[in-house]
Amino acid sequence: METKLEFVRSIESALGVSFGEDGDKVILVALTTSLALIFGLIAFLWKRSGDRTKEIKPVVVPKAMQPLEEEDELDADPSKVKVTVFFGTQTGTAEGFAKALAEEIKARYEKAVVKVVDLDDYATDDEQYKEKLKKETLAFFMVATYGDGEPTDNAARFYKWFSEEKEGDPWLQQLSYGVFGLGNRQYEHFNKIGKVIDDQLCEQGAKRLIPFGLGDDDQCIEDDFSAWRDQLWPELDNILRDEESTPAVATPYTAAILEYRVVIHDSSAGLHENKQLNMMNGNASYDIQHPCVVNVAVQRELHTPESDRSCIHLEFDLAGTGIKYETGDHVGVYAENCEENVEEAARLLGQPLDLTFSIHADNEDGTPLGGSLPPPFPGPCTLRTALSRYADLLNPPKKTALVALAAHSSEPSEAERLRFLSSQQGKDDYSQWVVGSQRSLLEVLAEFPSAKPPLGVFFAAIAPRLLPRYYSISSSPRFVPNRVHVTSALVYGPTPTGRIHKGVCSTWMKNAVPLESSHESSQAPVFIRTSNFKLPADPSVPIVMIGPGTGLAPFRGFLQERYVLKEEGAQLGPALLFFGCRNRRMDFIYEDELTKYEDEGVISELIVAFSREGPQKEYVQHKMMEKAAQIWEMLSQEGYLYVCGDAKGMARDVHRSLHTIVQEQEKVSSSEAEAVVKKLQMNGRYLRDVW
Ligand SMILES: Cc1cc2nc3c(=O)[nH]c(=O)nc-3n(C[C@H](O)[C@H](O)[C@H](O)COP(=O)(O)OP(=O)(O)OC[C@H]3O[C@@H](n4cnc5c(N)ncnc54)[C@H](O)[C@@H]3O)c2cc1C
Ligand SMILES: Cc1cc2nc3c(=O)[nH]c(=O)nc-3n(C[C@H](O)[C@H](O)[C@H](O)COP(=O)(O)O)c2cc1C
């Protein structure tokens, strides 16, 4: 490997061993430690020989050889102040903000010892959360809201504990804090998690340094974050700035452009991409970081040829993988970018697709390149693989990406325009030209042909990592133990610039080749994400399910499970299923199965709203009103109500209908009805799986 120092190679060959990729590091650490020991020993012997009567001191290996841990640094210098930046993220934005904030605090204040902490990694149990939080004196929380006003997966444990009512006196009086929430105004529970954490911290006596930051992803959340951060400096100056140092305004801060170290390999180098597939399948448990590569067993279109849209039924084969799931869980799928976009990206970068390379977050001597670089993807791999699997090419680029592009534009006018778009003055242009017109990263690259970032910059600072997509599993393991079924609507449509946006994962599913038709079937890394969207433990409890379009997915799993239970002799309670589509001749997905389940008594009634059949549009919320008395009766018998599908439109309308049903059926006021609905939610009898 090119990066290995010559002497590392010679040591390896002399010993007949390989230290692997990190050989340089291993040798360097061993060498420096040994040298320090030898010098220490010489000094010690020399001292001893000179003065034998004096107390013998132990040999101390100089500490500078090892990186200082934050705690050590704080112990060593009591004038230092610990700052902790926590993050709760699903798709990485909050983590990016936490790292950017930490870097800027470090750069501005010598006194600060800053640590970025994943909320999940902070503590192993509630007691430890409390003990550790009590010791924090200055902390910031960057937290996103997800699901249906829920915490992100990595904040769930912390949030559950922290938001519970606490008895006793306020216990966070030693803490000064700030919270920046990441959310989207289109969702009903806008920024709920950040708000709750902010309120709770205040309630427990912590001092709010700056008002809660309301990040809105529907607009430019980077601007919201910058504005919030700018309010912070005067407050932090009071705490972290030494009196003799110059005021903050005199030291404008520019974030460094992140860059991986890139090593080019000759094309005969063993590619990691294929090794990785095999290793993953040997893993004991799978999660987002350790997905399992599985085959596509079945793939078929669910719409009829009359439809101008597409919805795919896909089955992943779990046989032999050990993957387990429960009805109602989600599956995370890592798809690949389509060939045409990968080729376009390589062309715009001016690099050949068969270039074999690896990226590294450390220098050749093993020292880290920078705290906020995400872990590199596995390599060596070809540029084709890297662009297919790891680069988000279709989302609009972030402002920080434009800054990085500007730095690598050879044409001054292009660099200037890019810098303007990323600046405060260019805010409106950015919001219209980039976000409003849904300009993809590829489109932006094409508009600035002189921008040719090196691969290390491209993968670190310009193209975010391609993220997995989640799907509500549309099967039950009790019915199909070795399969995960997915029901995926194809994302395909024009954007304001005239580009046809082809959704990454849904397009991959649309083009997937199943084992049924070829031995060379499509494969994807997948993992299961547990959910609380579950049937009642007692199958005789009444249930109402509302799932138009692909919102039907988890209910198909529910029906399969009820079918098995019925076969096993269980007494099933009443079940209503509300489904909605445009037209029965085009997109009435799984029609045969649903009507069969109705005939067999797996559900009591299937109620379908066809939005484009009659003169008036009819949706599931209208059908609910027609069945108001029955729904209320079922809920009054301790029944459950489930909603799945579009969060921004449908779920809100269904919520309003439910509120009206309670109000009318119970003959109560609007606020009393809201209290009833809230109680249903609190008791876990009104569950929503919305996205
Ligand atoms: C918990 C959960 C469960 C889910 N379950 C399901 C499910 O069962 N079935 C299902 O089909 N989906 C489901 N989804 C949605 C799914 O995860 C994906 O978001 C969806 O398949 C689109 O992904 P994609 O990669 O194909 O599209 P992407 O490449 O992610 O593109 C979609 C994005 O592109 C943008 N865009 C630009 N132009 C357009 C355009 N013309 N039309 C639309 N979008 C455009 C939008 O911002 C949109 O967010 C679920 C999501 C979550 C979070
Ligand atoms: C499936 C889904 C559900 C979401 N639910 C909410 C929500 O209930 N409330 C909200 O304010 N924002 C919601 N959001 C918006 C995210 O909080 C927002 O995009 C945020 O920037 C994500 O940050 P992250 O990248 O750190 O995870 C949702 C986003 C998605 C994709």
Side-chain angles (χ1 to χ4, degrees):
M1 193 172 290
E2 293 82 339
T3 51
K4 272 193 187 168
L5 302 176
E6 215 39 60
F7 77 91
V8 177
R9 282 214 195 92
S10 51
I11 291 175
E12 282 183 346
S13 69
L15 296 175
V17 296
S18 167
F19 294 108
E21 259 206 272
D22 290 338
D24 310 354
K25 259 187 282 171
V26 175
I27 297 287
L28 266 174
V29 170
L31 221 59
T32 45
T33 311
S34 317
L35 277 174
L37 270 168
I38 291 164
F39 282 129
L41 204 63
I42 292 168
F44 165 66
L45 290 173
W46 175 76
K47 263 201 124 196
R48 250 183 84 154
S49 64
D51 184 359
R52 287 174 187 273
T53 59
K54 284 206 179 131
E55 190 192 345
I56 299 170
K57 296 241 167 69
V59 180
V60 180
V61 179
K63 212 168 178 193
M65 294 290 175
Q66 301 144 6
L68 267 182
E69 281 293 319
E70 286 82 359
E71 306 298 337
D72 296 343
E73 210 174 329
L74 288 162
D75 286 347
D77 185 351
S79 71
K80 298 269 183 195
V81 178
K82 181 180 171 199
V83 185
T84 309
V85 187
F86 295 100
F87 66 85
T89 191
Q90 199 73 18
T91 53
T93 323
E95 183 176 359
F97 287 172
K99 287 177 173 171
L101 181 66
E103 290 298 316
E104 189 163 353
I105 294 175
K106 269 188 226 165
R108 281 175 180 263
Y109 307 106
E110 268 181 30
K111 241 188 185 178
V113 179
V114 196
K115 194 167 183 179
V116 176
V117 179
D118 180 325
L119 276 167
D120 216 18
D121 297 340
Y122 189 55
T124 48
D125 57 35
D126 295 355
E127 210 37 56
Q128 201 184 15
Y129 269 127
K130 187 162 186 178
E131 283 315 304
K132 290 185 82 172
L133 263 187
K134 270 183 179 169
K135 291 186 195 143
E136 302 286 349
T137 53
L138 188 51
F140 298 97
F141 295 77
M142 313 286 117
V143 275
T145 299
Y146 224 67
D148 186 21
E150 286 150 26
T152 59
D153 291 347
N154 80 316
R157 213 160 41 87
F158 169 79
Y159 182 77
K160 184 173 179 299
W161 163 74
F162 196 61
S163 57
E164 274 166 6
E165 220 149 276
K166 306 257 181 312
E167 285 177 1
D169 295 334
W171 53 281
L172 283 174
Q173 276 145 331
Q174 82 299 340
L175 179 69
S176 296
Y177 76 95
V179 180
F180 182 78
L182 294 91
N184 184 315
R185 215 172 273 282
Q186 299 268 343
Y187 286 91
E188 197 174 322
H189 304 285
F190 178 46
N191 259 313
K192 179 177 159 196
I193 303 306
K195 283 180 198 154
V196 170
I197 292 180
D198 186 68
D199 287 346
Q200 190 68 13
L201 284 162
C202 185
E203 213 166 280
Q204 295 306 334
K207 182 178 175 232
R208 188 188 277 128
L209 279 181
I210 53 166
F212 173 61
L214 264 183
D216 181 8
D217 191 28
D218 199 36
Q219 299 298 317
C220 181
I221 199 164
E222 283 176 292
D223 283 347
D224 298 334
F225 178 60
S226 298
W228 178 83
R229 206 171 36 173
D230 288 346
Q231 293 176 63
L232 185 61
W233 307 127
E235 301 303 326
L236 281 189
D237 282 352
N238 293 333
I239 302 172
L240 295 172
R241 191 160 288 279
D242 292 324
E243 264 157 34
E244 63 271 20
S245 61
T246 46
V249 279
T251 54
Y253 168 80
T254 316
I257 295 171
L258 296 177
E259 181 169 5
Y260 290 113
R261 177 169 62 88
V262 172
V263 177
I264 307 294
H265 300 257
D266 68 49
S267 54
S268 60
L271 297 183
H272 193 281
E273 50 208 59
N274 301 326
K275 280 186 237 158
Q276 184 202 5
L277 298 188
N278 301 334
M279 263 168 49
M280 282 177 177
N281 273 338
N283 212 317
S285 71
Y286 303 103
D287 56 29
I288 187 165
Q289 272 95 32
H290 310 97
C292 176
V293 179
V294 294
N295 287 313
V296 172
V298 173
Q299 188 264 22
R300 68 187 152 91
E301 177 60 61
L302 292 171
H303 283 192
T304 68
E306 257 189 83
S307 168
D308 59 357
R309 294 169 305 133
S310 165
C311 184
I312 297 295
H313 171 84
L314 197 96
E315 298 184 15
F316 287 114
D317 185 10
L318 306 184
T321 62
I323 296 182
K324 297 265 179 287
Y325 73 98
E326 286 179 26
T327 312
D329 283 346
H330 302 139
V331 60
V333 180
Y334 283 95
E336 293 189 3
N337 284 307
C338 67
E339 194 67 22
E340 128 200 10
N341 289 331
V342 169
E343 282 169 9
E344 169 78 346
R347 193 185 61 75
L348 291 165
L349 289 169
Q351 300 280 3
L353 277 165
D354 57 0
L355 179 81
T356 304
F357 72 110
S358 55
I359 54 169
H360 305 263
D362 55 8
N363 291 302
E364 284 189 34
D365 63 4
T367 51
L369 275 171
S372 51
L373 269 175
F377 50 75
C381 68
T382 60
L383 182 59
R384 182 187 294 280
T385 299
L387 291 171
S388 307
R389 291 187 190 164
Y390 307 117
D392 180 343
L393 303 172
L394 294 187
N395 268 313
K398 300 228 153 62
K399 286 188 169 182
T400 48
L402 300 184
V403 173
L405 274 181
H408 294 280
S409 296
S410 53
E411 177 58 56
S413 61
E414 289 185 9
E416 195 185 330
R417 171 80 180 143
L418 282 162
R419 269 194 284 272
F420 175 72
L421 282 170
S422 64
S423 69
Q424 193 55 29
Q425 305 89 283
K427 192 170 173 249
D428 293 342
D429 277 34
Y430 175 81
S431 113
Q432 278 164 28
W433 194 79
V434 181
V435 182
S437 31
Q438 295 174 325
R439 262 199 175 75
S440 68
L441 172 59
L442 289 183
E443 284 180 289
V444 172
L445 279 172
E447 293 272 350
F448 297 93
S450 84
K452 292 277 177 276
L455 294 182
V457 172
F458 182 74
F459 287 105
I462 295 173
R465 216 39 77 77
L466 186 61
L467 294 172
R469 279 23 177 198
Y470 290 99
Y471 294 87
S472 301
I473 297 177
S474 61
S475 56
S476 163
R478 302 182 76 153
F479 190 69
V480 281
N482 280 326
R483 294 278 166 94
V484 155
H485 293 192
V486 163
T487 307
S488 160
L490 178 69
V491 171
Y492 183 96
T495 64
T497 62
R499 168 179 69 94
I500 298 294
H501 179 76
K502 298 178 192 161
V504 174
C505 194
S506 55
T507 303
W508 180 87
M509 289 183 177
K510 169 92 181 153
N511 297 331
V513 180
L515 266 178
E516 286 188 319
S517 47
S518 164
H519 287 304
E520 296 271 292
S521 70
S522 302
Q523 295 186 315
V526 305
F527 60 95
I528 302 296
R529 178 167 175 250
T530 54
S531 138
N532 59 5
F533 202 70
K534 296 282 173 305
L535 278 166
D538 175 358
S540 68
V541 168
I543 59 168
V544 178
M545 297 166 280
I546 301 151
T550 47
L552 177 63
F555 301 130
R556 184 170 177 267
F558 280 16
L559 301 198
Q560 290 183 353
E561 178 147 335
R562 279 171 67 94
Y563 174 80
V564 173
L565 288 168
K566 192 165 183 292
E567 291 286 288
E568 290 169 358
Q571 193 66 40
L572 299 183
L576 296 184
L577 173 60
F578 290 87
F579 174 68
C581 63
R582 287 188 181 174
N583 186 307
R584 83 185 70 222
R585 293 190 325 277
M586 297 177 185
D587 55 352
F588 190 171
I589 59 175
Y590 303 113
E591 179 180 0
D592 294 349
E593 287 181 21
L594 296 181
T595 46
K596 193 166 113 321
Y597 284 136
E598 189 183 23
D599 294 344
E600 288 169 346
V602 173
I603 44 173
S604 332
E605 195 177 350
L606 169 67
I607 303 128
V608 187
F610 295 105
S611 65
R612 301 201 184 176
E613 278 198 355
Q616 240 144 22
K617 296 211 161 182
E618 237 196 340
Y619 295 111
V620 279
Q621 61 270 26
H622 304 127
K623 291 286 182 190
M624 281 172 73
M625 296 312 298
E626 289 172 16
K627 297 274 173 192
Q630 202 177 340
I631 291 176
W632 183 239
E633 195 194 330
M634 290 168 79
L635 292 180
S636 305
Q637 292 162 5
E638 296 299 301
Y640 283 52
L641 188 128
Y642 300 90
V643 185
C644 179
D646 168 42
K648 294 168 186 166
M650 182 275 299
R652 275 181 189 219
D653 295 338
V654 165
H655 185 86
R656 274 190 216 111
S657 292
L658 177 63
H659 179 274
T660 312
I661 289 172
V662 175
Q663 198 178 345
E664 288 179 3
Q665 297 294 314
E666 276 290 274
K667 302 191 175 42
V668 291
S669 69
S670 173
S671 58
E672 283 167 323
E674 198 48 50
V676 172
V677 173
K678 216 169 191 103
K679 195 164 165 215
L680 277 175
Q681 248 164 344
M682 301 287 283
N683 295 342
R685 291 204 289 122
Y686 170 24
L687 291 165
R688 310 205 302 177
D689 177 15
V690 293
W691 58 83

